[in-house]
Every structure is written in structure tokens, then in C-alpha cells.
Amino acid sequence: MFRKKDKNVYDQQEAPARNLGSKMGKSAAVIVVLVAAAYLLLGSIYSLKENEYAVVTTFGMPKIVEEPGIHLKIPYVQGLKKVPKTINGFSLGYDPATGETRDSESFMITRDYNFVNVDFYAEYRVTDPVKYLYASESPVDILKNLTQSYIRDTIGLYDVDSVITTGKNEIQASIKEKIVSRLESEDIGIQLVNITIQDAEPPTSEVVDAFKNVENAKQGKETSINRANQKRNEDIPAARAQADETMRTAEAQAQERVNEAKGQTARLNELYAEFQKYPLITKQRMFYETMEEILPDMKVIIEKSDGITQTMLPLESFADFGNGNSADLNARTQESVPAEEASAEEEE
């Protein structure tokens, strides 16, 4: 009897503890279920930005998602990897964080067997996210290796002067063309956008100064050529204008002389006609005109005397013979001729 009573008492004391343990077990199970549900729910939701691709794999089969926003996937059944759409880049020959040179990447040899340090910066973007993720193990490393290889190959085709000064654009274009063509054949989902030479200089300061002097001399040469071309462009039109003016002046003078010669010819023809009519009078008139031209300030008076009367004829009266008619001139001239000369002319 004593033992049975003790057992009942013990059962009554342990019942609350068992109930509490059962309740705690149920609560823990509910918490676990809620946590698992939350984990599964959160694992099935993902967001996509404007500058991102999403590659969702279902039992290993990839699918590209490009639309930005919130999307759902099946946890554990579907996998997710995000790939940037933006243009990314990497440096070759220097550390962009510290600016220190990496000699293993920048130190190169040119066609004329000179050494040079050349730094590059390459920009790329993902064109096919599936191939970018699964066609190769590390497409960016592949691009870096290809870039280094083609850089050294191309630099070796140019002399040091072209690499440092005048040939940079041509070198960049040649390297880019080679890399783009190679990436198209490899088809790893990545594309080179641009490659630029950040810096190019000889490995020693003395050579750097020498190349700077060469560059300054080339710039001075270009400046002199431009100035000469400008001077030529200014002088040639001026010389052409002066030549045209000289030609026009010469033509005008030639025409003036031709007209003057024609006038003199007409005058001589007219004078000759008068000479044929009155040779002696014409001779005298020509003599007077010549004397007037030679001695314009001298006054000449012709004295006519027949023993009884004396006539004084000033030379000015013959100066205006061109303004009067020939008959008046001949009449006046006849008066000044002595009778003996007139009779001699008639006998002739």
C-alpha cells in the first residue's frame, strides 16, 4: 500500500513537467518549420538590376533572364548566377590602386631593339552570359592573356619612336583588331570594347629626356610647316592679284600706245597729203613747229622786206594751225613767203 501511494504522488508531481516538455517540443518544431519556410521563401525570390543578367539553371539547363525586377525560382531545384552588363576593365603594366609599374607586364622590346615600358588599359563587356559562365573557366583571364600576347607581338613591329610618340593610335587599333577577331573565333561570351595606351616611356631617365627633346623638335617642325603653309596661302593670292593688276596695266598701256601710234599715223598721213600739195609751205610749218617744241619759251619773229615795206610775223600765229582750216593756214603762210621763193616753187 505504501509503494502504490508513493507512485501516485510521484505521477502527480511529474505530470506538469511532462506537459511543459511536450509544449516546448511542439513550439520548437513550429519554429523550425517557420524558419525553414522563411528560408525556402527567401531562397525562391531574387531581384535583378538594370545592369545585370541572371542565369537560372534548372537541372543544369541554363536560361537567361534580362528583365529587371523581382523574380521567383524553385529552391534547390534551380540555381542562380548574376553577370554584370556594364563595361568593366583591367590594367596591364601598372597597379591602378598604387600606380606602381609592373615590369613583368610593361617591359617590352621594339623592332629596332630598344626597350620600352608601355602601360595599357583594356575595357570589356559580357555579350553572352551563358557562354561567359560555362564556355570557359575564366574568360577574363583568357582575355588578359590574349591581350598581353598581342600587345607584345604588335609592339615588336614598331620602332621605339613610334611607340612613344607618333604611332600610339595605330598600335592601339592594330591590337584591338587582333583581339576582337580572336575572341570571335573563341566564342567565350566576352567582347573587347576598347584598349588604350596609358603611358609609354623608355626605362631610363636619360632616354626619356632624349625622347622628349625629339618630340619637342617634331612639334616645332610641325609648327614651322604650318606657319609656312599659312604664309604661302597668304602670299600666293596676293601675288596672283598683283600679277593680274600688272597684266591689266600692261594691256591698258599697250592699247594706249597702239591708239597713240594710230593717231600719229593718221597725223603723218594728213601731213603727207599737205606736203604733196604744198611741199615748201609744209616744210616751213614743220620747221616752225619743231622749233616751238625745242624752244617753247622763245619768241621768233620773221621779217619780210621787199625794199619798200617791212612785215613782222610772230611765230605764235602758226601754233594754232590745227584749230583752223587748211585754206586759212595756207593763205597766211603764202603771205609770209617771199615772192622769189613762191616763183621758185612755181617753176619747180
Side-chain angles (χ1 to χ4, degrees):
M1 295 293 292
F2 177 77
R3 290 181 180 177
K4 187 176 181 179
K5 184 178 180 181
D6 292 339
K7 183 178 180 181
N8 292 332
V9 174
Y10 176 77
D11 291 337
Q12 291 177 1
Q13 292 177 351
E14 291 292 331
R18 288 197 298 270
N19 292 333
L20 181 60
S22 176
K23 291 179 180 180
M24 291 180 64
K26 292 179 180 180
S27 299
V30 171
I31 292 172
V32 170
V33 170
L34 292 176
V35 170
Y39 176 77
L40 292 175
L41 180 62
L42 293 176
S44 63
I45 299 175
Y46 67 94
S47 63
L48 195 61
K49 298 179 181 178
E50 290 281 351
N51 58 352
E52 289 180 329
Y53 293 108
V55 179
V56 179
T57 57
T58 304
F59 298 110
M61 297 298 296
K63 179 183 178 182
I64 301 175
V65 179
E66 297 185 13
E67 295 181 2
I70 298 176
H71 301 270
L72 296 175
K73 68 179 183 67
I74 303 173
Y76 300 105
V77 175
Q78 293 181 320
L80 173 67
K81 290 185 178 180
K82 295 181 180 181
V83 179
K85 291 182 181 179
T86 56
I87 295 176
N88 297 300
F90 56 85
S91 61
L92 292 172
Y94 69 100
D95 186 351
T98 61
E100 295 181 357
T101 301
R102 298 172 184 164
D103 291 334
S104 59
E105 296 177 351
S106 65
F107 193 73
M108 304 179 195
I109 187 170
T110 60
R111 182 182 63 185
D112 51 354
Y113 302 103
N114 283 299
F115 297 107
V116 63
N117 286 327
V118 188
D119 300 336
F120 285 85
Y121 188 80
E123 296 176 307
Y124 68 92
R125 66 184 180 90
V126 177
T127 56
D128 190 329
V130 174
K131 293 179 180 179
Y132 175 79
L133 292 174
Y134 302 107
S136 61
E137 183 177 354
S138 180
V140 177
D141 290 338
I142 293 175
L143 177 59
K144 284 184 178 180
N145 293 332
L146 289 175
T147 304
Q148 287 181 326
S149 175
Y150 285 119
I151 285 174
R152 293 186 180 276
D153 178 66
T154 306
I155 293 296
L157 300 176
Y158 291 83
D159 54 37
V160 66
D161 186 48
S162 299
V163 174
I164 294 178
T165 57
T166 59
K168 291 183 179 179
N169 292 332
E170 184 177 349
I171 292 172
Q172 293 171 174
S174 178
I175 295 172
K176 181 180 178 181
E177 182 180 359
K178 294 176 182 178
I179 297 174
V180 169
S181 177
R182 181 63 181 275
L183 288 177
E184 289 178 355
S185 63
E186 295 293 337
D187 195 18
I188 56 177
I190 193 171
Q191 181 185 46
L192 181 70
V193 177
N194 194 24
I195 184 167
T196 55
I197 297 177
Q198 298 296 305
D199 193 13
E201 61 182 10
T204 61
S205 59
E206 292 81 3
V207 180
V208 171
D209 294 337
F211 274 102
K212 287 182 179 179
N213 293 333
V214 171
E215 183 66 20
N216 292 334
K218 288 183 177 180
Q219 292 179 358
K221 173 185 174 183
E222 293 296 329
T223 302
S224 299
I225 291 175
N226 293 334
R227 289 178 179 174
N229 290 333
Q230 182 181 0
K231 181 67 174 175
R232 180 189 65 182
N233 295 333
E234 292 176 355
D235 291 347
I236 288 178
R240 288 176 178 173
Q242 185 176 1
D244 292 339
E245 183 179 358
T246 303
M247 288 292 296
R248 289 193 296 268
T249 303
E251 291 174 356
Q253 291 177 353
Q255 187 64 35
E256 182 180 357
R257 291 186 179 183
V258 169
N259 295 334
E260 182 180 356
K262 289 180 179 179
Q264 291 179 356
T265 301
R267 180 174 177 276
L268 290 175
N269 290 333
E270 181 182 356
L271 188 61
Y272 180 70
E274 293 293 329
F275 178 80
Q276 287 180 333
K277 294 179 181 179
Y278 310 102
L280 182 60
I281 297 174
T282 304
K283 289 180 182 180
Q284 290 179 347
R285 186 182 68 185
M286 292 176 64
F287 172 77
Y288 297 151
E289 291 175 352
T290 303
M291 292 301 297
E292 183 180 9
E293 292 179 359
I294 296 174
L295 303 172
D297 297 330
M298 178 179 287
K299 292 185 178 181
V300 179
I301 299 175
I302 301 173
E303 181 180 354
K304 176 184 176 183
S305 176
D306 55 359
I308 301 174
T309 60
Q310 187 175 5
T311 305
M312 305 295 291
L313 298 176
L315 186 62
E316 288 87 342
S317 60
F318 296 96
D320 297 331
F321 72 92
N323 297 329
N325 52 37
S326 300
D328 295 340
L329 179 61
N330 292 332
R332 287 183 294 174
T333 307
Q334 288 286 354
E335 294 179 357
S336 64
V337 178
E340 295 82 2
E341 293 181 359
S343 61
E345 181 178 355
E346 291 177 355
E347 291 178 359
E348 292 178 358

